[in-house]
Amino acid sequence: CIIDSAPRPNGLTLSEKQNLRELTEMVVDTMVHRKKEMEHLMDEKTRLIACAAHDLLSPLSGIRLNLGLLMEDESLGEKMDENQRELMESSLECSDVIERICVRAIESF
């Protein structure tokens, strides 16, 4: 028996076998219950991330639209130095990455 440290040459009594079965059932029930709790928590976490990603998409779309308009403005482009243009392009690239992350989070839900 896994509970004893010494062998039992005559085996377990009927009462001991029943106790062992009951203990096994309790352990299995506990494991199943904990697994269900973990699955529920994972589902909640995934749902929360998907909701947050969805909420980010609207303002992100506005940011991307404004960045696009600024980049298309030729008079503004003439006034910006190289560093400012690079910052604008980097901002647009970063917003693209964030949008892809948000979309994937929503799709995974």
Side-chain angles (χ1 to χ4, degrees):
C1 177
I2 59 170
I3 297 173
D4 292 337
S5 58
R8 292 179 178 239
N10 296 331
L12 298 172
T13 66
L14 185 58
S15 174
E16 291 170 332
K17 287 179 184 178
Q18 182 61 33
N19 289 339
L20 191 56
R21 278 190 203 101
E22 290 174 7
L23 178 62
T24 303
E25 287 177 19
M26 288 187 333
V27 169
V28 169
D29 288 345
T30 300
M31 290 173 62
V32 167
H33 179 71
R34 287 187 181 169
K35 181 182 178 209
K36 286 180 182 177
E37 283 180 342
M38 291 303 295
E39 288 171 348
H40 176 72
L41 290 173
M42 289 299 292
D43 289 345
E44 280 295 310
K45 184 179 92 171
T46 302
R47 186 188 65 76
L48 179 64
I49 290 171
C51 287
H54 183 269
D55 290 346
L56 286 173
L57 281 179
S58 292
L60 185 61
S61 294
I63 291 169
R64 292 182 70 230
L65 177 65
N66 287 323
L67 283 171
L69 291 173
L70 289 172
M71 290 181 73
E72 290 175 2
D73 188 340
E74 291 178 12
S75 65
L76 180 63
E78 293 170 359
K79 295 175 186 173
M80 290 192 299
D81 62 23
E82 184 61 32
N83 188 35
Q84 291 170 326
R85 279 190 288 277
E86 185 179 324
L87 284 172
M88 188 94 62
E89 290 170 6
S90 295
S91 298
L92 190 58
E93 290 171 7
C94 288
S95 66
D96 288 341
V97 170
I98 294 169
E99 181 182 29
R100 285 194 307 268
I101 291 170
C102 289
V103 168
R104 285 184 183 162
I106 292 167
E107 288 173 349
S108 70
F109 179 65

